[in-house]
């Protein structure tokens, strides 16, 4: 294993942990509801930070896009819109099901899609080699863990009956609806990795104008992330209008609420940027293996956070045992993916 691979894996680990804990501040919101927190988080994570990072790291940023075929920019924006829709469903699903379950279901699904599609399209010659087979096997194992966790969540819902999930700031939803949110999130959110995998022209143009290989990614993120951010902000506006809760955005907010949104934004955007660094160091399998490992690590992180914050308090016996089994299976999937290095 080369030094570049080791460094890449280290960045992937950091990115996975950061992404795994980014929704943790949501549990400590005081005055805000879901739409208030998600709106300010979206503004920070999807607009302010990507722009600030790109401006500070990509020389002659405006010129970069003039060198890129419009089709590539439109493709990156479309991937961003797909990911943005998935992000909305993700926020709703995690709030309804909790970190340990909601995050795991969404992440495992978009891990598989986000890894396998680039594997097939970008590196078809590696599908039946050891690396490719380990990536496929790891994703299959991870998905199996999701199924077990979904069963555990259904049984938890029946045990708790009308008791709210700890830390929920949105309305209580049925397990089937919450699960649907998580599945839609998993399918659509894979588009985030497609931008990295299938829009190289933007990074190439940035590198030609003086950006480093890692910083060149920031020019692509500046197209993809805000495009998805528009859907997140738009949905929050709809909820604010529906619930007539505009005043809470500022007047009824607390310092803790603003701090929560800021921390979520820094952790999310920072994780995406660091993921790009790690994937670059993994070479041809970066969009496939890097994506899979990133998400496998964050699943383990959210599991730990979910248990620490008592999401399953009051649940005993078979539902909890199934959750442990499901998460254990997903962690095994992470080690199988590691064999693909």
């Amino acid at each position: 294993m080369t030094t570049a691979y080791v460094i890449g894996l280290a960045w992937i680990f950091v990115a996975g942990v950061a992404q795994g804990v980014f929704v943790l501040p949501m549990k400590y919101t005081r005055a805000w509801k879901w739409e208030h927190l998600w709106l300010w988080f979206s503004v920070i994570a999807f607009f302010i930070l990507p722009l600030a990072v790109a401006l500070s790291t990509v020389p002659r940023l405006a010129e970069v896009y003039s060198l890129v075929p419009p089709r590539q920019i439109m493709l990156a924006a479309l991937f961003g819109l797909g990911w943005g829709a998935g992000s909305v469903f993700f926020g709703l699903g995690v709030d309804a099901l909790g970190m340990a379950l909601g995050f795991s279901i969404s992440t495992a699904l978009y891990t598989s899609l986000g890894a396998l599609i680039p594997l097939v399209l970008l590196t078809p010659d590696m599908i039946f080699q050891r690396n490719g087979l380990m990536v496929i096997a790891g994703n299959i194992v991870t998905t199996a863990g999701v199924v077990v966790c979904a069963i555990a969540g259904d049984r938890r819902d029946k045990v708790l009956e009308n008791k709210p999930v700890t830390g929920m700031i949105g309305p209580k939803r049925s397990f089937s609806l919450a699960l649907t949110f998580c599945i839609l999130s998993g399918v659509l959110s894979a588009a985030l990795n497609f931008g990295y995998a299938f829009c190289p022209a933007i990074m190439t143009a940035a590198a030609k104008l003086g950006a480093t290989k890692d910083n060149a990614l920031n020019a692509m993120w500046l197209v993809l992330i805000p495009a998805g951010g528009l859907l997140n902000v738009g949905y929050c506006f709809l909820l604010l209008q529906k619930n007539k809760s505009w005043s809470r955005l500022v007047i009824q907010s607390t310092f803790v609420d603003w701090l929560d949104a800021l921390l979520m934004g820094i952790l999310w955007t920072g994780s995406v940027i660091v993921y790009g660094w790690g994937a670059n160091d993994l070479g041809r399998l970066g969009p496939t293996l890097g994506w899979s490992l990133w998400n496998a690590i964050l699943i383990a992180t959210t599991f730990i956070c979910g248990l620490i914050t008592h999401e399953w308090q009051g649940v005993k016996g078979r539902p909890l045992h199934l959750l442990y089994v499901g998460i254990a299976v997903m962690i095994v999937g992470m080690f199988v993916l590691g064999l693909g290095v």
Side-chain angles (χ1 to χ4, degrees):
M1 187 181 298
T2 65
T3 301
Y5 259 78
V6 174
I7 294 174
L9 291 174
W11 284 130
I12 293 295
F13 177 81
V14 172
V17 172
Q19 187 76 190
V21 302
F22 100 85
V23 293
L24 190 57
M26 183 183 289
K27 291 178 171 292
Y28 304 100
T29 302
R30 296 182 178 178
W32 283 345
K33 294 299 182 182
W34 185 90
E35 58 266 30
H36 306 102
L37 179 63
W38 203 260
L39 172 62
W40 287 121
F41 156 70
S42 298
V43 170
I44 293 168
F46 306 151
F47 295 96
I48 296 176
L49 292 180
L51 178 60
V53 170
L55 287 173
S56 61
T57 60
V58 182
R60 300 156 63 184
L61 180 62
E63 292 183 46
V64 169
Y65 301 113
S66 67
L67 298 178
V68 180
R71 181 179 178 182
Q72 276 277 298
I73 295 178
M74 290 179 61
L75 184 62
L78 285 174
F79 286 144
L81 288 172
W83 158 77
S87 181
V88 172
F89 286 120
F90 170 80
L92 294 171
V94 169
D95 183 55
L97 288 185
M99 284 185 68
L101 183 60
F103 211 137
S104 298
I105 291 174
S106 297
T107 302
L109 290 175
Y110 76 68
T111 296
S112 298
L113 290 173
L116 296 180
I117 292 177
L119 175 66
V120 172
L121 297 181
L122 296 179
T123 55
D125 57 302
M126 302 185 72
I127 293 176
F128 296 107
Q129 295 181 11
R130 178 178 176 276
N131 306 75
L133 291 174
M134 289 299 101
V135 170
I136 294 172
N139 278 282
I140 291 174
V141 173
T142 301
T143 302
V146 169
V147 174
V148 176
C149 284
I151 295 172
D154 183 45
R155 297 194 177 188
R156 179 196 70 173
D157 202 51
K158 293 175 180 177
V159 169
L160 294 179
E161 294 181 346
N162 295 322
K163 296 179 182 179
V165 178
T166 302
M168 181 186 293
I169 59 177
K172 180 174 175 59
R173 308 178 191 275
S174 67
F175 176 77
S176 59
L177 180 58
L179 182 61
T180 299
F181 286 158
C182 290
I183 291 173
L184 288 172
S185 167
V187 172
L188 294 170
S189 296
L192 179 67
N193 196 42
F194 298 159
Y196 170 73
F198 300 121
C199 298
I202 300 176
M203 286 87 84
T204 300
K208 285 182 179 179
L209 293 179
T212 65
K213 182 180 179 182
D214 287 339
N215 288 338
L217 284 168
N218 298 329
M220 186 276 297
W221 295 134
L222 185 58
V223 176
L224 188 150
I225 293 176
L230 291 174
L231 292 179
N232 283 263
V233 170
Y235 181 69
C236 290
F237 281 166
L238 288 175
L239 289 181
L240 288 167
Q241 184 64 31
K242 176 183 177 181
N243 299 329
K244 306 297 182 183
S245 57
W246 291 93
S247 62
R248 287 198 183 193
L249 279 176
V250 177
I251 298 175
Q252 298 181 32
S253 64
T254 68
F255 173 76
V256 172
D257 295 331
W258 285 99
L259 182 61
D260 288 343
L262 178 62
L263 288 175
M264 288 174 65
I266 292 173
L267 288 168
W268 189 92
T269 306
S271 174
V272 172
I273 292 171
V274 173
Y275 158 68
W277 297 351
N280 276 345
D281 288 333
L282 295 182
R284 292 180 66 202
L285 277 177
T288 299
L289 180 59
W291 177 261
S292 300
L293 284 172
W294 178 35
N295 288 293
I297 291 167
L298 73 88
I299 289 174
T301 303
T302 55
F303 168 57
I304 295 171
C305 290
L307 291 180
I308 290 175
T309 54
H310 310 294
E311 287 181 353
W312 288 66
Q313 187 173 6
V315 179
K316 299 179 181 179
R318 191 167 182 78
L320 197 58
H321 295 158
L322 283 172
L323 176 67
Y324 290 147
V325 171
I327 297 297
V329 171
M330 286 191 282
I331 292 175
V332 170
M334 178 177 64
F335 284 106
V336 174
L337 288 168
L339 296 177
V341 177

